[in-house]
Amino acid sequence: MRTPFMRRAAAAVAGAGLTALALTGLSGPAAADVPPGLDFADCPAVSELPPDADLTFWQCNVTVIAGGRLQIGSIDQEITQPIKMTWATGFDPVTFEGYSVFGPMRAEPQRVKGGVLGIEGTDIIPLLQISAQPEMAADPELAPEGQIALRLRLKIKTINPLLGDTCYIGSTADPIVLNLTFGTTSPPPPNQPISGTPAHPVGDGVIASTLVDNAFAVPKSSGCGWNGILNAVADFRAGLPSAAGKNTAVFESYAKFTPYTSLANATA
């Protein structure tokens, strides 16, 4: 479901801020490295924007996380399937009140190496395979504070025939909270600081960047098996709960934007 929320103008036009960074002329990967999926099919409809929104001051932004890794507990998962997010940003030209309206997150399940047993090679058997699929637990926050560029609240669906259809790491009430930055992190031990990469142009209006966080905690699993009977099994396999300083997110992303004036006919 697409739900709007309000921020001050500086935060609400964070997509435009990324565009400004793109104009600095920093070098980056070749345009050939840009992943597919950077399209505006999921842009919120004009009817979902605030009443009387002036489209001159609105744009649609799309980001595809195409690589990197998400390490939670004892599972270190390479990102092999794209994760796509789309949102609209704009502001009232009279009051300068800013708004953001988020579309869906689209992510295909990603196979977890080692499967149920955590032993590489055993997951050739379907019953021992595990896939992970991230979902939004709440709307993201754009530039909420300090050097945080994006705050994501996630829950990760754990897919396996024995675990059922409701097995998740994190939940709406107790999500995995990522405070992603282009800068350098300050995690508790044993993790050490890591750095992202500021936004830079890679051709054809596309901006590349790397967002990182390794100071977040990961809660226990829930809903695994009948009445949660396999929660402990899922937690043992994943090493959960996992305290802050023992988990890492590195998101290699590509972004693109377009003014709403060019989308008005398609999203009315």
Side-chain angles (χ1 to χ4, degrees), residues 15 17-35 38 62-67 149 181-183 196-212 251-257:
L18 292 178
T19 304
L21 284 172
L23 300 178
T24 60
L26 295 173
S27 61
D33 295 331
V34 175
L38 278 173
V62 58
T63 291
V64 172
I65 300 169
T181 180
F182 302 119
T197 304
H200 51 274
V202 292
D204 196 27
V206 177
I207 306 163
S209 63
T210 301
L211 290 155
V212 296
F251 291 162
E252 299 170 0
S253 64
Y254 294 82
K256 200 170 184 177
F257 79 99

Side-chain angles (χ1 to χ4, degrees), residues 3 12 19 41 56 79 81 134 144 160 165 189 213 238 264:
T3 55
T19 304
T56 305
I79 296 174
Q81 298 292 331
N160 170 272
D165 197 47
D213 182 16

